[in-house]
């Protein structure tokens, strides 16, 4: 379902202090913000309740976009375990931080720019990533598309 939009409508809402209406079938920006911030927080400090609250089972994704699509069927730890099967070297995420405000669509998607620090094959690296998350009708993340390439990876040691 497409949301009706025009810049005139946007400006009327902004100057009057009212919010643009969203179809009730779409997750709120606040819900998407909590889910995305939780995704970042889980890398540094895992929350055992996060997956049940915000992750659809199964969900799909590409990390990075342009590689073989994945179907993820479990928690964040299960996701990392599934991803490790695709890697040919040890990969341990260490922490992540947002590097810009979360951007919301007028639909059921939101995007974040973040930096991931990890240990890969005994080397510390960082990756600058833009990730787009799609939410299903229950408000859970059903698709994750991570945009990054070789030029976004920095070897730190």
């Amino acid at each position: 379902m497409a949301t009706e939009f025009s810049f005139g409508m946007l400006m009327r809402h902004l100057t009057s202090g009212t919010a643009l209406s969203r179809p009730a079938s779409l997750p709120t920006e606040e819900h998407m913000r909590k889910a995305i911030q939780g995704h970042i927080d889980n890398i540094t400090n895992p929350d055992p309740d996060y997956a049940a609250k915000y992750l659809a089972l199964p969900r799909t994704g590409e990390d990075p976009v342009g590689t073989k699509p994945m179907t993820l069927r479990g928690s964040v730890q299960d996701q990392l375990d599934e991803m490790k099967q695709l890697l040919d070297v040890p990969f341990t995420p260490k922490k992540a931080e947002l590097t810009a405000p979360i951007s919301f669509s007028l639909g059921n998607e939101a995007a974040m720019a973040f930096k991931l620090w990890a240990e890969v094959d005994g080397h510390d690296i960082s990756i600058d990533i833009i990730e787009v998350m799609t939410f299903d009708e229950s408000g859970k993340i059903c698709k994750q598309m991570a945009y990054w390439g070789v030029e976004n990876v920095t070897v730190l040691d």
Side-chain angles (χ1 to χ4, degrees), residues 32-105:
M32 290 189 285
R33 182 184 330 283
K34 286 179 182 177
I36 289 173
Q37 185 63 57
H39 180 77
I40 293 295
D41 294 345
N42 255 308
I43 292 170
T44 305
N45 297 306
D47 174 0
D49 298 324
Y50 175 79
K53 188 170 185 178
Y54 293 112
L55 300 179
L57 296 178
R59 65 191 176 285
T60 60
E62 293 178 31
D63 190 354
V65 169
T67 60
K68 182 181 177 183
M70 298 179 285
T71 299
L72 306 168
R73 301 184 193 289
S75 68
V76 172
Q77 186 57 51
D78 292 339
Q79 176 180 334
L80 291 172
D81 291 343
E82 288 182 49
M83 288 180 66
K84 285 178 183 179
Q85 294 176 14
L86 303 173
L87 302 169
D88 59 353
V89 295
F91 179 93
T92 305
K94 298 293 185 179
K95 71 175 185 173
E97 291 179 3
L98 290 172
T99 56
I102 296 167
S103 295
F104 302 97
S105 70

Side-chain angles (χ1 to χ4, degrees), residues 104-123:
F104 302 97
S105 70
L106 294 179
N108 64 333
E109 295 181 319
M112 66 176 163
F114 72 104
K115 184 178 285 283
L116 172 70
W117 287 268
E119 183 180 314
V120 180
D121 199 26
H123 297 277

